[in-house]
Amino acid sequence: MATTTAAPGAPTTKIGQAALEVDDRLIVAGPLRRTLNKVFPDHWSFLLGEIALYAFMILLVSGTYLTFFYDASMEEVVYEGVYAPLRGVEMSAAYESTLGLSFDVRGGLLIRQIHHWAALLFVAAIVIHLIRIFFTGAFRRPRETNWLIGVVLLVLALLMGVTGYSLPDDLLSGTGLRIISAIILSLPVIGTWAHWAVFNGDYVGTEIIGRFYIAHVLIIPAILLALIAAHLLILVKQKHTQFPGAGRTEHNVVGNRLFPTFAGKATALLFIVFGLCAALGGLVQINPIWLWGPYNPAQVSAGSQPDWYIGFLDGSTRLFPAWDINLPGDYTIPALFWPTVVGAGLMFTVLALYPMIERKLTGDTASHHLLQRPRDVPVRTSVGAMALTFYVVLWISGGNDLIADKFDISLNAMTWFGRIGCLVLPPFAYWMTYRLCLGLQRHDREVLEHGIETGVIRRLPSGEFIEVHQPLGPVDEHGHGQLAYGGASVPKKMNQVGGARRAIKGFFKPIEEPAEVQRQAELEARGLEAEQSDRQTISSGRPSEGGRPSEGGRPQAPRD
Amino acid sequence: MSTTNASSEAPLEGGRRGLLRRRPAAGTPAAAARDRRRSKQRRRLANVAGLMAALVLTGVGYSAFAPGAIAADEQSSTESIAVEAGRELYVLSCITCHGSNLQGVEDRGPSLIGVGSASVYFQVSTGRMPLVRQEAQAPEHPVIFTEAEIAQLMAYVQANGGGPSIPSGDLRDGELAEGGELFRLNCASCHNFVGEGGALSSGKRAPSLDGLTDEQIYAAMLTGPENMPVFGDNQLTPEEKRSVIDYVQTIQDQADPGGAAIGRAGPVAEGLVIWVAGVGALLFGIFWMGTKA
């Protein structure tokens, strides 16, 4: 003990020495430091993908618990459990075990409901994350790979949803299974064979629940996990994009280090997401399979819908006219083929290839690390709005019978609204979004040229009334500003440029309380930046250019 | 009827005997005077008895020959009062569309001949009738007739049109689980899994079964109101109907173990909750985190 003299700078604490021992063997200090020093941009929209990640973690944990009690068998049994309205009814073992885990297993219903709510949230978070990536141009070179992986993750999430939805084998999910079977059968030429392969025979057979179960708990989750890992590794390698702003360039990332600020935030978000799923699972009933009853192909209920993320396909099927194509030789392409296989296939193909399509059309092959404000790319923004409008019309049409029933509208009127709406509304959305983008752009330019409207009205000696404008920078002889638009948000209110001493970020609106203003003023008086952010240089796979943080590059905490 | 006849024989016999005894009694003046007094009394008695006998005979004859004979006098009189009151209500509220003889009016209302009191009970006690205007389907309004008035209308239509009526007794006396199977097989395709209702074509709809009485559900199955098919006793036996009612009412009264039921409407309501409450709360959360740099 006393024989070894500690090298200068060697750890003196117990934990430090233990860490040194580990590092001596595994040599992890360098990579770990780089990881912990990774900078995350500080913008709320960057947390959307994380919500999906945390929902997936909740799904893994809750799903594992459910597998302890679920029996993926289609064997016929007679229910003799605690739920009186089904006692004596014939059902599959899968349905019986789901009833059992809902009513007999301690916490089973809660976990089942958390699992289902987290599944709905998982897909919702993926979709919002995708929308953010799309509208800010974050998919551009060099991030096309991650965009593609993201689209595949979305498709896999939908498959997870479909297979999981079918597992309880209740009347609702059985109806969904029947539709899946019909979609597979509608495939030209290979339909029957594909159906035989999936169901091992005619509908419904005795295999499908077991097969879907393995797909749901093993195959798809394994692929999902691998792709999520790839998605995150690529993200770490390529570093985050960021919105343009003061001090932000194509070659750096401004934000918080992974440790401790971002780690704290991420942990907080994990608990917020988990809390939300637990609250929904405990307070709001989801998929009460005991009310639906066991699946029986002879029965079908009104209002049988898929979960929300498949709703757009249900909607497209409801809207599409009954155009069967009858070919000579007793051969038919059913109408169902077009709105489901072709429709969804086209939508996801275009979505996956969008970065390449845009690169081709704009000829922009440069690497981009700064995001674009949606208004600055009106064509892309309008195309996105158009696609979303089309999607939402299909989505609404997926529940059009319930809307018709609850709001006393004719179901036929709802169908025609969907048919006309999915053709007319998207171009209208394109036009409207385009005009909105141009209007916002013009307003930015106007403020840069003439300054911020102060609200001060002055009367000139000639009797003319003018509003006084506060220029944002030096002006020329005509009083016009000379600042160029840099892609960042332009201040449009006086308090954003210090008109109220200093604009302090608050919750939704700036805090202008004197105490906080005072504190910031004191910070400034001592020559410190009021809000100090960490910076990291972009390497984007080119270490030669990379400003990888040096060994001594530990972040400096703002000292007071 | 036999008892009425037996009692009517007695005064008849007495009257006859009195008439026979009168002739030998006309001897002495006192006896004659006494006889006169007695015969006066007897004659009075005989007149009353004769009248009674005639009335009873008429009654018996009427009850034997009149159509739809009702045995108990008292009951028949209250029923006829109810029918009469029902007729008045009918003339005030129903005759415009259903016609003066229940035969219906073209383009306004169907014939009520053969619909029975069950149909009247369903339509009036759920507030569908009287109809305000012609629509895709009669909507449920607040009920405007009292229970007694509904009974009078039922009596009137039953008396003049005939048709099925609601049985008495416990209408939930059935097999719960079998009722569930029958409900899912026969009812769920329009009324949704647990009777929440659903849309039909062109503004028509299958209403929610929430808050209906046993009698209303029974009457609906028996008579098939609006777009609903008739589930006659050879399609769903009375026992099966009772099972279905048992299931519907049990499920309606049953608590939701999972929490808020959100209308028991399935995935559409769940999607609404996750997007509005779930995603809304999370966006709020990350805005908040974004401000706490």
Side-chain angles (χ1 to χ4, degrees), chain B:
Chain B
M1 222 174 260
S2 58
T3 50
T4 333
N5 275 342
S7 60
S8 66
E9 289 304 316
L12 213 64
E13 293 293 320
R16 240 180 247 149
R17 247 179 269 129
L19 283 171
L20 289 172
R21 242 190 257 165
R22 209 161 55 173
R23 265 172 254 158
T28 57
R34 199 174 61 230
D35 276 358
R36 253 198 309 278
R37 256 184 277 124
R38 275 187 192 161
S39 72
K40 217 176 190 176
Q41 286 170 341
R42 276 180 193 157
R43 231 178 344 217
R44 262 192 217 130
L45 270 173
N47 286 345
V48 171
L51 190 65
M52 284 284 287
L55 273 174
V56 168
L57 272 175
T58 317
V60 168
Y62 178 82
S63 63
F65 293 108
I70 299 155
D73 285 15
E74 205 174 310
Q75 200 185 335
S76 94
S77 69
T78 44
E79 281 220 358
S80 62
I81 289 169
V83 168
E84 186 53 34
R87 196 188 67 81
E88 280 171 22
L89 291 171
Y90 180 88
V91 168
L92 277 176
S93 303
C94 320
I95 200 166
T96 320
C97 302
H98 292 297
S100 51
N101 296 313
L102 304 183
Q103 81 280 24
V105 177
E106 203 177 336
D107 296 331
R108 279 196 211 156
S111 163
L112 298 187
I113 295 164
V115 300
S117 60
S119 179
V120 177
Y121 177 72
F122 179 84
Q123 297 285 357
V124 180
S125 72
T126 58
R128 286 179 166 78
M129 293 288 148
L131 198 59
V132 176
R133 60 174 178 275
Q134 296 287 346
E135 281 176 88
Q137 186 170 325
E140 293 129 297
H141 290 301
V143 186
I144 65 161
F145 293 112
T146 63
E147 296 248 337
E149 287 169 335
I150 294 171
Q152 289 160 0
L153 276 171
M154 286 162 72
Y156 175 72
V157 173
Q158 187 71 36
N160 293 290
S165 54
I166 306 164
S168 54
D170 182 9
L171 294 180
R172 298 191 194 185
D173 182 21
E175 292 280 323
L176 182 60
E178 191 204 345
E181 279 294 280
L182 289 168
F183 185 87
R184 287 188 288 275
L185 195 60
N186 295 293
C187 319
S189 50
C190 298
H191 288 288
N192 216 329
F193 294 96
V194 283
E196 292 302 322
L200 303 174
S201 60
S202 304
K204 291 172 279 197
R205 67 193 195 289
S208 163
L209 306 183
D210 203 9
L212 292 186
T213 65
D214 298 353
E215 288 79 15
Q216 284 163 348
I217 300 175
Y218 198 101
M221 286 189 275
L222 201 58
T223 63
E226 311 279 349
N227 295 283
M228 182 166 160
V230 173
F231 291 92
D233 284 350
N234 48 354
Q235 278 132 335
L236 282 179
T237 65
E239 291 72 41
E240 288 173 334
K241 286 196 184 75
R242 287 184 167 86
S243 300
V244 169
I245 293 171
D246 190 19
Y247 180 74
V248 170
Q249 302 289 34
T250 306
I251 291 286
Q252 297 283 355
D253 297 341
Q254 180 178 296
D256 287 296
I262 46 170
R264 291 178 173 178
V268 173
E270 292 156 9
L272 202 64
V273 168
I274 199 67
W275 275 95
V276 176
V279 173
L282 284 179
L283 286 181
F284 193 81
I286 60 177
F287 286 150
W288 175 66
M289 289 179 69
T291 61
K292 305 283 168 189

Side-chain angles (χ1 to χ4, degrees), chain A residues 186-219:
Chain A
S186 79
L187 290 168
V189 185
I190 61 161
T192 314
W193 312 103
H195 187 281
W196 223 255
V198 173
F199 285 81
N200 193 29
D202 204 352
Y203 182 81
V204 56
T206 54
E207 303 282 319
I208 191 67
I209 296 287
R211 291 183 175 186
F212 270 24
Y213 182 59
I214 289 304
H216 184 75
V217 302
L218 180 69
I219 302 171

Side-chain angles (χ1 to χ4, degrees), chain A residues 257-335:
Chain A
R257 300 272 178 197
L258 173 61
F259 192 83
T261 319
F262 188 78
K265 277 192 171 191
T267 316
L269 187 56
L270 168 65
F271 283 117
I272 289 177
V273 173
F274 178 68
L276 178 88
C277 290
L280 282 174
L283 297 174
V284 188
Q285 180 163 286
I286 187 165
N287 201 22
I289 51 145
W290 55 92
L291 294 180
W292 308 154
Y295 183 51
N296 176 343
Q299 302 168 349
V300 64
S301 168
S304 292
Q305 255 95 8
D307 279 338
W308 77 260
Y309 40 80
I310 304 291
F312 77 101
L313 283 181
D314 197 333
S316 66
T317 309
R318 289 173 189 219
L319 297 185
F320 199 79
W323 289 340
D324 286 347
I325 299 177
N326 292 303
L327 299 170
D330 208 15
Y331 199 83
T332 300
I333 301 175

